[in-house]
Amino acid sequence: MISSILGIFKEVYKLSIGAACGLSWPSHSLIVQVLDDSTNEVLRELVEIECRKWIEKGVNVKYETRNNRNGYKAGALKEGLKKQYVKDSTPGVWRIQAINDAGGWKDRTTVEDMDLAVRASLKGWKFVFVGDLAVRNELPSTFKAYRYQQHRWSCGPANLFRKMTKEIMFCKRVSIFMRMIIAHWVTFFFYCIVIPTTVLVPEVHLTKPIAIYIPATITILNAVCTPR
């Protein structure tokens, strides 16, 4: 049994729902979960009508809504996992046990899928990348929408890295090599970006521990741990 989960909010819902319902998979083993976060009542009604259309064709579609948008897409996915009929998730193909082991969906960044994938990796789950599979995707309809999309995709990973650096550094499953890369990156960020910024922008003030002790400690640890 698998579940194809669709988080809907201003997307081209007909194409998304149609693609999920048209999967080449035994109908008795497929659940299409539509998580509709639409705030427009007219659009929400249209999405529900589209779901009913596929239900009448014999597809097991579950239409779910919320009375709030807490957590945005990650919040909707988190709520969707609480349903007893859910067996799998998206993006890609996830085992429900992997999602649970990693702590479920979190709304702390705009890249909830990357957040979940990193946490699952730290828990020891392995991933298989299928690079030769071509799928359709939806492009932003305007340049403004494209800029917003790229902004989210750029800021999201950076924000996630900031929040998970400690977890990655102290995870026993992460190799010493990867920890060294992170340590070197942090040192570079301090010496080449943060400290020069304090010189160029007088309003930026760093306390002594941040400006001296932390970079110095990281540098010493790098020197000690780096192979000759």
Side-chain angles (χ1 to χ4, degrees):
M1 176 70 73
I2 69 167
S3 296
S4 179
I5 303 180
L6 305 177
I8 301 293
F9 180 71
K10 297 182 179 179
E11 281 83 4
V12 184
Y13 64 92
K14 284 189 176 182
L15 291 177
S16 301
I17 296 174
C21 293
L23 288 173
S24 179
W25 196 265
S27 58
H28 65 278
S29 299
L30 173 66
I31 298 175
V32 177
Q33 186 187 51
V34 179
L35 307 174
D36 187 7
D37 257 10
S38 303
T39 54
N40 185 302
E41 291 299 327
V42 175
L43 180 58
R44 178 173 286 195
E45 184 178 353
L46 292 173
V47 174
E48 186 173 7
I49 291 173
E50 184 68 16
C51 291
R52 284 203 221 103
K53 183 182 76 174
W54 285 100
I55 292 174
E56 292 172 357
K57 293 182 179 180
V59 181
N60 190 0
V61 180
K62 304 291 186 180
Y63 177 73
E64 307 288 352
T65 61
R66 302 189 293 166
N67 56 10
N68 60 72
R69 293 203 66 233
N70 295 340
Y72 303 102
K73 184 178 179 180
L77 293 170
K78 187 187 300 184
E79 289 294 323
L81 281 181
K82 295 179 180 179
K83 305 301 180 182
Q84 294 183 355
Y85 56 78
V86 175
K87 298 295 183 291
D88 235 331
S89 185
T90 58
V93 178
W94 282 89
R95 289 186 180 276
I96 192 68
Q97 187 60 48
I99 297 176
N100 292 333
D101 286 350
W105 296 100
K106 293 187 177 182
D107 56 7
R108 57 183 177 176
T109 70
T110 57
V111 285
E112 67 286 331
D113 49 354
M114 181 184 293
D115 188 350
L116 179 62
V118 173
R119 286 184 282 114
S121 297
L122 295 181
K123 289 292 185 179
W125 287 89
K126 303 298 182 182
F127 293 84
V128 177
F129 175 69
V130 183
D132 58 350
L133 180 63
V135 296
R136 293 181 178 181
N137 204 346
E138 179 187 347
L139 295 175
S141 57
T142 64
F143 180 69
K144 183 179 181 180
Y146 172 77
R147 287 194 297 110
Y148 283 148
Q149 179 198 63
Q150 295 303 309
H151 180 265
R152 292 196 307 272
W153 288 0
S154 299
C155 295
N159 190 27
L160 178 63
F161 180 82
R162 178 179 63 84
K163 294 183 176 183
M164 294 202 65
T165 298
K166 185 177 179 181
E167 294 178 52
I168 297 172
M169 288 287 290
F170 290 98
C171 180
K172 294 181 179 180
R173 290 189 174 90
V174 178
S175 66
I176 296 296
F177 176 72
M178 288 303 298
R179 298 182 198 179
M180 288 166 53
I181 289 177
I182 295 175
H184 282 293
W185 185 90
V186 172
T187 304
F188 167 81
F189 181 77
F190 268 113
Y191 282 132
C192 299
I193 298 178
V194 175
I195 294 179
T197 300
T198 63
V199 177
L200 299 174
V201 184
E203 292 78 10
V204 179
H205 175 72
L206 294 180
T207 61
K208 186 180 291 186
I210 296 178
I212 299 176
Y213 299 143
I214 293 179
T217 301
I218 293 176
T219 301
I220 292 172
L221 291 174
N222 285 341
V224 172
C225 298
T226 301
R228 302 300 179 193

